[in-house]
Amino acid sequence: MKKNLLIIAAAISFASCSNDESEFVQTPQEVNVSLDYSFVESGAMTRSGSSVYTDFYEKYIKTKVLTPKNFVLTFKNKESGATATIRGNWEKNHSLKLLTGEYEVTGTSHPESTMCSDTVYLCFEENISINNETTGINLTAIYDSYLLLLDKSDKEQVIYRFNSTTGGSGSSHPFSNKDSLYYMFFNQLYGTGTNLINIVKNRKTSSIYIDDLPFEKGRYYYFNDLSNSFDIPPMEEGN
């Protein structure tokens, strides 16, 4: 497969001794590493008391069925300050050439849609260490979106709709569906206007206005038909 090569240059430092003799402090070695990511096994969107979300996560997110294909990552050498950015596709075999040392890695892995999608939005922000024995980099994915879930039974369609109040055009996005659920990942809501969810049931449409609901990235929200509101899973105790 086509490989993307990334080389970050680092200056070789010298130490001056009292007798004017010089010696190498340390010479960074160049190593080849592969690139991948995984989900941290904690937090509101990976462990929850709700079997509805747990089943969805295990089947479609953890297995990377509903995750984005493309990524943009920036590697910054913490000693030299040199940076380089790589754009790629997770399905391809990426081999990176890095000098040994400490790096700050930042970036995103988003679907094409900037607002909402049937695919989760991810971001990355962490420090990594590369040594002579490093053969692969496994980054930790951070959710850059929240997930809305609705029970599929008795519903003919679920639609996210934006109505502009500034004279601009509105927007309409049908929810996707898997198994017994309608779902949509949101990176953000539209701006000035009204954001709502239309539910078509028995040929009648009801609406849920969502502008003032306290959605947070990294959490899922399950719509409860009985209470006509979203169930918000409780936060977990920190380490």
Side-chain angles (χ1 to χ4, degrees):
M1 297 182 179
K2 183 178 180 180
K3 297 183 178 179
N4 294 319
L5 299 181
L6 173 67
I7 303 178
I8 298 181
I12 300 177
S13 300
F14 294 86
S16 178
C17 301
S18 58
N19 59 0
D20 294 330
E21 292 181 357
S22 297
E23 61 179 352
F24 288 108
V25 174
Q26 183 177 8
T27 302
Q29 302 297 313
E30 187 177 275
V31 295
N32 286 307
V33 294
S34 61
L35 183 63
D36 199 0
Y37 73 94
S38 60
F39 294 98
V40 62
E41 291 298 326
S42 63
M45 286 205 25
T46 54
R47 279 197 313 213
S48 170
S50 172
S51 62
V52 173
Y53 175 75
T54 300
D55 293 343
F56 184 87
Y57 169 77
E58 292 289 338
K59 191 171 182 179
Y60 298 111
I61 299 179
K62 189 174 182 179
T63 56
K64 300 181 181 179
V65 174
L66 297 180
T67 55
K69 306 303 181 187
N70 299 319
F71 65 85
V72 180
L73 295 172
T74 296
F75 292 78
K76 179 180 179 180
N77 187 292
K78 298 179 73 173
E79 180 180 358
S80 68
T83 63
T85 298
I86 178 173
R87 299 173 183 269
N89 186 298
W90 295 114
E91 295 182 340
K92 296 182 180 179
N93 182 23
H94 293 279
S95 178
L96 314 180
K97 271 190 177 179
L98 295 174
L99 295 179
T100 55
E102 303 294 322
Y103 290 86
E104 180 183 80
V105 184
T106 57
T108 59
S109 184
H110 284 185
E112 293 183 2
S113 175
T114 58
M115 297 291 181
C116 58
S117 175
D118 62 351
T119 302
V120 67
Y121 296 74
L122 302 174
C123 61
F124 301 89
E125 184 178 353
E126 64 183 290
N127 296 318
I128 64 171
S129 179
I130 302 295
N131 57 49
N132 290 331
E133 298 179 354
T134 302
T135 59
I137 301 173
N138 189 51
L139 300 175
T140 301
I142 303 171
Y143 291 103
D144 200 22
S145 56
Y146 52 87
L147 170 64
L148 302 189
L149 297 169
L150 295 92
D151 181 61
K152 188 178 176 182
S153 62
D154 299 328
K155 297 178 181 65
E156 297 157 24
Q157 195 173 22
V158 177
I159 303 170
Y160 164 53
R161 194 178 301 278
F162 170 72
N163 296 327
S164 176
T165 58
T166 60
S169 60
S171 184
S172 178
H173 304 272
F175 272 54
S176 299
N177 65 86
K178 292 287 186 185
D179 302 329
S180 61
L181 295 170
Y182 283 107
Y183 74 94
M184 181 83 78
F185 293 97
F186 286 81
N187 178 251
Q188 59 182 313
L189 297 177
Y190 282 89
T192 305
T194 303
N195 292 275
L196 65 154
I197 296 174
N198 285 343
I199 301 173
V200 181
K201 186 174 182 179
N202 298 325
R203 298 185 179 181
K204 295 181 180 180
T205 301
S206 60
S207 298
I208 305 170
Y209 293 85
I210 59 176
D211 287 289
D212 297 327
L213 294 178
F215 297 135
E216 298 178 33
K217 291 181 179 179
R219 304 186 75 81
Y220 76 89
Y221 301 85
Y222 180 64
F223 182 74
N224 188 323
D225 284 339
L226 296 178
S227 62
N228 202 38
S229 65
F230 282 99
D231 291 336
I232 302 176
M235 289 186 177
E236 297 181 359
E237 182 180 356
N239 296 326

